[in-house]
């Protein structure tokens, strides 16, 4: 019999993506891999592989598992044959089982069978004498027999060994691997769920893959809700509760509602609102957002009106911003304070909830409202920090076009709020209103040599001469926060001016003509008249990299030199040599692009 510890060691020694690559073409996608799913036909990749988590997952068909399951499901191997092949690859020796154990291993059912057997047992317990307390709780929540049966409510008894006895047809390692039992060191394993109202969690195909349990004893110190741990079947960050039921309804309604917990989902379904799902004990993840976008273009996130609910909403917004792309966004709904979806539909009916859903908040509005509420606008410093926060939110969006549009929208709102006298009758600013005479004066001082940082000065001069390059380089430039407060101030001033240029002012515009006519006394080749635009762009990109890298490398070299001078150790000498080489490489890059004038 193979222990869970031995199997975990095997999984850790084999890289999942390298095994899958042998039969499936994978493409790198950040820290993960993606491909068209090998388990069903598709044209758009929905199959992801995470070496870090040791799981593969398909957002389309719900296929999910670890490296052993890949060998059994995709390669068609028996469990022990898959283990032996992987062990040989990892250089591990498979423990020799006795004949009876080997026979049982060959006949052993899969984890899906284990989870379904556990679900059947929980349901039987709920109907027994021992489940009376759980039945009373369900009645107090107003759940009728149809809802109880439809969502598969069950009950886990208090005994620590009850499941082992009830599911004796399955090997102990299978119960542990499925997250139903807990093994700690050399102690006897025990049931994970005890004295709890139980709910099955399904995959996209409707198969039971995990469980959630609510405690029934009011005076216990145990957590109120307890979910299964991650297993070969279940990854809580990639699973949405009730998706297998809500998905078909969503295709008819054209919407998908995301609430905070599975009890909220059930309460809404009982009231006739059946296109709702919930994350499982964690904040909404990037993978869950992508899963929602496969259903609808703009899922509706519904959060409680209390402080915790608003924090959860902003965590979801922060997760979603980098992922935004054309046609994919989120909408938000905030419930009245003190009410969750269950309370709302019980007190005011499903109509009241539907009314809330008809008045959603867009994602850009949610970002703006959250930043306004947290801003301090009574001081110049607070106003500047507020604007920086808005810009950071926009720059978090990886799609350049959407980032640009968010940036313009949020900065426009900023000026409407802070400088209402500049707003025209149509409610929007003109470019002349944005580039004030004071901004132009300060920008001119900076570009013509007011900065003590010649390289930073030259970068802005180049962008002023070539406004079309601004949108290409502004994001990385804005992420550069120098120690020099003068440069930081000038950077912000330039951003104010550059926002108009990003959308392109006509050549006759006085502000553009002024900026383009400014000169810089530095002898950088990319500032000379007639320098090709593509050459200027490459030099600006490299110059920004030098701005970012140079102070870091210099600091590290100085620290390593001091450490070696004190210890004279070989380790510190090698570290000093490493940073010296980085410093020499930086100087070489500067000479190559003629940036050494700085």
């Amino acid at each position: 019999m193979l222990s869970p510890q031995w199997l975990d060691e095997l999984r850790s020694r084999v890289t999942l993506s390298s095994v899958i690559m042998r039969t499936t073409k994978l493409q790198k996608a950040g820290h993960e891999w993606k491909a068209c799913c090998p388990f069903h036909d598709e044209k758009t990749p929905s199959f992801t592989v995470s070496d870090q988590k040791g799981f593969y997952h398909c957002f389309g068909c719900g296929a999910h598992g670890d490296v052993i399951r890949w060998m059994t499901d995709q390669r068609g191997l028996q469990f022990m044959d898959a283990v032996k092949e992987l062990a040989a690859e990892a250089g591990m020796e498979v423990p020799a089982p006795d004949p009876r154990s080997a026979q049982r291993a060959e006949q052993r059912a899969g984890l899906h069978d284990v989870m379904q057997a556990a679900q059947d047992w929980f349901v039987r317990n709920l109907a027994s004498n021992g489940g009376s307390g759980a039945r009373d709780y369900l009645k107090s929540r107003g759940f009728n027999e149809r809802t109880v049966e439809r969502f598969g409510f069950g009950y886990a008894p208090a005994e620590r060994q009850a499941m082992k006895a009830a599911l004796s047809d399955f090997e102990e390692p299978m119960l542990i691997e499925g997250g139903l039992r807990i093994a700690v060191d050399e102690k006897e394993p025990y049931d994970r769920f005890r004295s709890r109202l139980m709910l099955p969690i399904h995959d996209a195909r409707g198969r039971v893959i995990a469980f959630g349990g609510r405690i029934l004893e009011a005076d216990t110190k145990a957590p109120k809700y307890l979910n299964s741990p991650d297993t070969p079947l279940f990854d809580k960050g990639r699973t949405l509760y009730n998706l297998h039921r809500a998905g078909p309804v969503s295709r008819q309604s054209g919407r998908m509602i995301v609430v905070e917990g599975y009890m909220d989902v059930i309460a809404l379904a009982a009231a006739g609102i059946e296109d709702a799902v919930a994350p499982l004990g964690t904040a909404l993840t990037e993978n869950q957002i992508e899963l929602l976008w496969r259903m609808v273009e703009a899922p509706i996130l519904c959060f409680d009106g209390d402080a915790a609910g608003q924090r959860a909403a902003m965590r979801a917004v922060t997760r979603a911003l980098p992922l935004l792309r054309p046609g994919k966004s989120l909408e938000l709904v905030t419930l009245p304070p003190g009410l969750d979806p269950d309370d709302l539909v019980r007190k005011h009916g499903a109509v009241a909830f539907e009314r809330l859903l008809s008045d959603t908040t867009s994602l850009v509005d949610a970002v703006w409202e959250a930043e306004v509420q947290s801003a301090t606008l009574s001081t110049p410093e607070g106003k500047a920090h507020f604007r920086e926060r808005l810009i950071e939110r926009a720059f978090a969006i990886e799609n350049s076009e959407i980032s640009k549009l968010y940036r313009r929208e949020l900065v426009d709102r900023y000026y409407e709020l802070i400088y209402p006298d500049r707003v025209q009758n149509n409610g929007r600013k003109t470019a002349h209103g944005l580039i004030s005479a004071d901004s132009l004066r300060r920008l001119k001082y900076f570009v013509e040599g007011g900065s003590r940082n010649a390289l930073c000065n030259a970068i802005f001069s180049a962008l002023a001469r070539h406004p079309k390059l601004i949108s290409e380089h502004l994001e990385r430039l804005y992420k550069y926060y120098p120690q020099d407060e003068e440069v930081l101030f000038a950077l912000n001033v330039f951003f104010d001016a550059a926002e108009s240029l990003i959308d392109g002012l006509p050549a006759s515009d006085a502000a553009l003509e002024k900026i383009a006519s400014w000169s810089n006394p530095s002898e950088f080749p990319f500032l000379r008249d007639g320098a090709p635009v593509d050459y200027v762009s490459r030099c600006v990109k490299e110059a920004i990299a030098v701005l970012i890298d140079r102070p870091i490398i210099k600091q590290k070299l100085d620290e390593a030199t001091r450490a070696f001078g004190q210890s004279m150790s070989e380790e510190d000498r090698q570290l000093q040599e490493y940073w010296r080489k980085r410093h020499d490489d930086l100087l070489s890059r500067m000479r190559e692009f003629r940036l050494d004038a700085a």
Side-chain angles (χ1 to χ4, degrees), residues 550-570:
R550 184 167 56 177
I552 297 173
I553 292 175
K554 186 178 185 304
Q555 178 185 353
K556 293 293 186 182
L557 177 58
D558 290 345
E559 291 173 355
T561 301
R562 285 194 300 269
F564 177 57
Q566 293 172 1
S567 69
M568 300 300 289
S569 68
E570 177 61 20

Side-chain angles (χ1 to χ4, degrees), residues 120-223:
D120 295 340
W121 179 63
F122 289 139
V123 170
R124 291 196 300 271
N125 291 337
L126 181 65
S128 69
N129 292 334
S132 60
R135 294 196 299 273
D136 290 342
Y137 172 79
L138 290 170
K139 290 178 182 178
S140 72
R141 294 292 298 257
F143 296 148
N144 59 29
E145 290 185 6
R146 179 178 179 274
T147 298
V148 171
E149 180 180 357
R150 182 183 177 201
F151 284 89
F153 279 104
Y155 174 68
E159 295 80 11
R160 293 168 65 90
Q161 305 298 330
M163 175 171 284
K164 180 180 179 180
L167 274 63
S168 59
D169 291 343
F170 300 98
E171 297 284 349
E172 180 86 280
M174 295 288 284
L175 301 179
I176 295 171
E177 191 173 23
L180 301 171
R181 301 261 291 167
I182 297 175
V184 180
D185 300 327
E186 301 301 321
K187 298 179 181 178
E188 181 181 11
Y190 58 92
D191 292 354
R192 179 179 301 275
F193 300 102
R194 304 184 306 280
S195 296
R196 288 181 180 271
L197 178 72
M198 298 301 296
L199 268 174
I201 298 168
H202 301 80
D203 64 11
R205 300 181 185 179
R207 298 174 298 183
V208 179
I209 57 173
F211 292 95
R214 188 195 190 281
I215 200 73
L216 293 173
E217 300 173 5
D219 58 348
T220 182
K221 294 182 180 180

Side-chain angles (χ1 to χ4, degrees), residues 45-187:
S46 62
F47 182 77
T48 63
V49 179
S50 173
D51 288 326
Q52 184 178 6
K53 292 187 175 182
F55 292 132
Y56 61 84
H57 182 85
C58 177
F59 289 101
C61 70
H64 181 92
D66 60 9
V67 68
I68 299 175
R69 188 167 188 85
W70 172 264
M71 300 291 280
T72 59
D73 286 8
Q74 206 276 336
R75 294 273 306 279
L77 300 179
Q78 294 295 319
F79 177 82
M80 282 307 300
D81 291 336
V83 167
K84 290 176 181 177
E85 183 172 324
L86 292 171
E89 179 178 334
M92 296 176 63
E93 184 176 346
V94 180
D98 61 62
R100 287 182 300 175
S101 296
Q103 184 179 10
R104 286 197 299 269
E106 291 180 1
Q107 297 173 346
R108 162 168 75 176
L111 275 184
H112 282 296
D113 299 312
V114 174
M115 304 307 284
Q116 186 59 53
Q119 166 61 10
D120 295 340
W121 179 63
F122 289 139
V123 170
R124 291 196 300 271
N125 291 337
L126 181 65
S128 69
N129 292 334
S132 60
R135 294 196 299 273
D136 290 342
Y137 172 79
L138 290 170
K139 290 178 182 178
S140 72
R141 294 292 298 257
F143 296 148
N144 59 29
E145 290 185 6
R146 179 178 179 274
T147 298
V148 171
E149 180 180 357
R150 182 183 177 201
F151 284 89
F153 279 104
Y155 174 68
E159 295 80 11
R160 293 168 65 90
Q161 305 298 330
M163 175 171 284
K164 180 180 179 180
L167 274 63
S168 59
D169 291 343
F170 300 98
E171 297 284 349
E172 180 86 280
M174 295 288 284
L175 301 179
I176 295 171
E177 191 173 23
L180 301 171
R181 301 261 291 167
I182 297 175
V184 180
D185 300 327
E186 301 301 321
K187 298 179 181 178

